[in-house]
Amino acid sequence: MVGALTLYRSTIGRKIIMALTGLVGVGFTVGHMYGNLKAFSFIGGPEYFNEYAEGLRELGAPIFGHGHLLWIVRLVLLACIVLHVWAAVTLYQDSSQARNVRYAQQKTLQATLASLYMRVGGLLLFIFIIYHMAHLTWGIPGIHPNFTYGEAYNNLVYGLSSYFYLPAIFYLIAMVALGFHIYHGAWSVFQTLGLNNRTYTQPLRALSLTLAIVIAGGFAMIPLAVIFGILQPA
Amino acid sequence: MNLTLRIWRQKSKGASGQFASYPISDVSPDSSFLEMLDLLNEELMNKGEEPIAFDHDCREGICGMCSMVINGVAHGQDREPVKQVTVCQLHMRRFKDGETITIEPWRAQAFPVLRDLIVDRTSFDHIIQAGGFISVGTGSAPDANSLPIPKSKADYSMDAAACIGCGACVAACPNASAMLFTSAKIAHLNALPQGQTERYQRVVNMVTVMDHEMFGNCTNIGECAAVCPKEISLDFIANLNRDMMVASFQGVTPTVSLNGANK
């Protein structure tokens, strides 16, 4: 078992770390996206949404105390992000060293945009995550116009519609990046963990595409609904 | 056909190189790309200029020497309608009259350019030396079929063993990764009963040398398999990843000496 702890030394080991932490990320985004949909009145509505946001602190009750499981989840997610980014950065450094002289002309034959822009998209998502927490978790004044603790629904609607809808537009751009990242990433998880072969590769591609559309599409519904006035302050 | 060739010229390993343009006329559309380069070299020699150095050997698509990226694609694979193309199997009829063709050597830290279009692929040899063998008792040849192997396993192993080590996978990979090559060299032994003795040690040793040789890492883009003249598939990379994971859980550590492999 100790051998598994030496995985980080090889490029493949770092990719396995990347795959496992990415898988946690996909699981988290599914849950987060599902929770978000409670903002819509046909599923929940403002009160239900606020109750849900507060209820997250009671996650795992009665085994876990107030906020305990939430903090465990937060720490696990933070660790996953740190490992995911660390693996990406060190692997990128190796790769850019490996191609030390660039081609004068280079053409790809079948590469998807998603696969070629994994790193750029990842960087954008990293910036987005920090912004998103400053915006709607911490509600830093200046980033969020009028943040009130406990008023999750109004914070969401005011936050997205402020500054000429620029936050909403940034959220939409980030969700496009997320969709691309998941489309290549989810399939790559299977490839990197050695669970892919020529029989499964097409079904796995289809699964990744479905995940990408459902997750990114589900998230994008919120800023779109704010822009089109479907979600109004309560 | 009349063409303009933009070719990478580099005097020696480590020297700075640059592109030089050569017009060439009266090229037969039926000639192969290498025959076209022969024609150019003949002209250059008649003019007293240094001919272009390029690797070539079998000229029937099985030696894997012709390390050329043609108009941005390894071996000019995209020009021929069929797969499995090396430069000797690429024909001039696939190019337009008057076209400018850019010819570069493989670009990778692990494949230093020796001269013009010739690269040093010793790093591949180092990877094979680390595990591309099986330990068997020598002596008289074993009887045929003394070791039953299912047809599907034999086919799988043969598919991997088709790799000619040309390096097109590294050349085409945006990360200059040697994962397709290494995975094929591992899979063709690991799929067979004879390869089981060193199975996990082989994976760890070959991957250690691959990393040490400064190849990049795989991001599952798939350009390697798209240019591979032997159609090695990404399946083998998934297999390599799986074997590497098992080896790590078993606590297998590298036993390979990295002295010879050092760049």
Side-chain angles (χ1 to χ4, degrees), chain B residues 1 4 52 72-73 108-109 138 159 198 261:
Chain B
M1 295 174 81
T4 309
I52 289 140
V73 177
Q109 163 100 328
T138 52
D159 285 350
E198 296 108 340

Side-chain angles (χ1 to χ4, degrees), chain A residues 159-178:
Chain A
L160 287 175
S161 57
S162 61
Y163 306 119
F164 312 102
Y165 293 104
L166 281 176
I169 291 164
F170 181 49
Y171 272 67
L172 286 174
I173 294 169
M175 287 314 108
V176 172
L178 180 68

Side-chain angles (χ1 to χ4, degrees), chain A residues 92-153:
Chain A
Y92 168 69
Q93 285 169 340
D94 289 353
S95 285
S96 48
Q97 243 184 325
R99 170 74 27 85
N100 55 345
V101 180
R102 302 212 153 266
Y103 286 106
Q105 202 179 339
Q106 196 177 15
K107 196 171 131 189
T108 54
L109 299 184
Q110 53 76 54
T112 57
L113 279 180
S115 69
L116 292 173
Y117 290 96
M118 219 45 193
R119 288 160 183 151
V120 178
L123 181 65
L124 180 70
L125 288 172
F126 185 72
I127 295 167
F128 169 75
I129 291 168
I130 294 170
Y131 169 77
H132 177 46
M133 289 198 297
H135 187 221
L136 289 177
T137 305
W138 306 321
I140 294 173
I143 294 174
H144 195 288
N146 49 343
F147 189 85
T148 318
Y149 186 82
E151 296 279 327
Y153 179 84

Side-chain angles (χ1 to χ4, degrees), chain A residues 1 3-4 7 10-11 15 91 95 98-100 103-105 107 109-111 119 184 188 191-194 198, chain B residues 72 78 102 104 107-109 170-171 173 175 211 216-223 234-235 238 241-242 245 248-249:
Chain A
M1 276 303 284
L7 265 180
S10 72
T11 51
K15 282 191 51 72
L91 288 170
S95 285
R99 170 74 27 85
N100 55 345
Y103 286 106
Q105 202 179 339
K107 196 171 131 189
L109 299 184
Q110 53 76 54
R119 288 160 183 151
H184 185 66
S188 289
Q191 174 73 10
T192 301
L193 297 181
R198 65 193 82 182
Chain B
D78 60 327
T102 306
E104 290 177 80
R107 298 279 189 207
Q109 163 100 328
V170 175
C173 177
N175 303 308
D211 287 350
N217 60 87
C218 179
T219 52
N220 308 326
I221 290 172
E223 282 302 301
L234 291 182
D235 285 12
N241 292 334
R242 188 162 61 229
M245 232 180 332
S248 297
F249 276 101

Side-chain angles (χ1 to χ4, degrees), chain B residues 128-185:
Chain B
I128 294 185
Q129 280 161 8
F133 54 83
I134 55 166
S135 297
V136 287
T138 52
S140 55
D143 287 336
N145 295 328
S146 62
L147 195 60
I149 298 167
K151 172 89 165 79
S152 61
K153 290 261 159 109
D155 285 349
Y156 184 80
S157 177
M158 255 329 267
D159 285 350
C163 170
I164 53 176
C166 64
C169 46
V170 175
C173 177
N175 303 308
S177 168
M179 283 285 275
L180 194 68
F181 168 81
T182 310
S183 69
K185 292 300 168 201

Side-chain angles (χ1 to χ4, degrees), chain A residues 7-229:
Chain A
L7 265 180
Y8 72 93
R9 287 190 205 140
S10 72
T11 51
I12 295 176
R14 274 178 274 154
K15 282 191 51 72
I16 290 168
I17 291 169
M18 177 108 87
L20 293 174
T21 53
L23 198 60
V24 172
V26 171
F28 166 73
T29 49
V30 170
H32 186 1
M33 186 276 291
Y34 176 68
N36 280 2
L37 295 180
K38 292 182 173 61
F40 289 100
S41 56
F42 63 90
I43 296 174
E47 270 175 48
Y48 192 36
F49 188 76
N50 287 344
E51 213 175 288
Y52 152 70
E54 189 54 38
L56 283 176
R57 282 154 187 81
E58 304 304 330
L59 211 64
I63 295 174
F64 290 92
H66 180 82
H68 288 189
L69 187 56
L70 183 65
W71 269 107
I72 292 170
V73 170
R74 282 171 172 167
L75 289 175
V76 168
L77 288 173
L78 183 66
C80 284
I81 289 179
V82 169
L83 287 170
H84 199 78
V85 170
W86 164 78
V89 168
T90 56
L91 288 170
Y92 168 69
Q93 285 169 340
D94 289 353
S95 285
S96 48
Q97 243 184 325
R99 170 74 27 85
N100 55 345
V101 180
R102 302 212 153 266
Y103 286 106
Q105 202 179 339
Q106 196 177 15
K107 196 171 131 189
T108 54
L109 299 184
Q110 53 76 54
T112 57
L113 279 180
S115 69
L116 292 173
Y117 290 96
M118 219 45 193
R119 288 160 183 151
V120 178
L123 181 65
L124 180 70
L125 288 172
F126 185 72
I127 295 167
F128 169 75
I129 291 168
I130 294 170
Y131 169 77
H132 177 46
M133 289 198 297
H135 187 221
L136 289 177
T137 305
W138 306 321
I140 294 173
I143 294 174
H144 195 288
N146 49 343
F147 189 85
T148 318
Y149 186 82
E151 296 279 327
Y153 179 84
N154 278 350
N155 288 341
L156 174 78
V157 179
Y158 287 132
L160 287 175
S161 57
S162 61
Y163 306 119
F164 312 102
Y165 293 104
L166 281 176
I169 291 164
F170 181 49
Y171 272 67
L172 286 174
I173 294 169
M175 287 314 108
V176 172
L178 180 68
F180 274 78
H181 208 75
I182 291 176
Y183 173 61
H184 185 66
W187 175 78
S188 289
V189 167
F190 294 100
Q191 174 73 10
T192 301
L193 297 181
L195 303 171
N196 188 31
N197 64 34
R198 65 193 82 182
T199 319
Y200 291 142
T201 191
Q202 286 311 320
L204 289 174
R205 287 270 189 206
L207 174 70
S208 303
L209 184 63
T210 312
L211 277 172
I213 291 171
V214 170
I215 296 173
F219 275 128
M221 278 166 70
I222 303 276
L224 282 174
V226 170
I227 290 172
F228 290 109

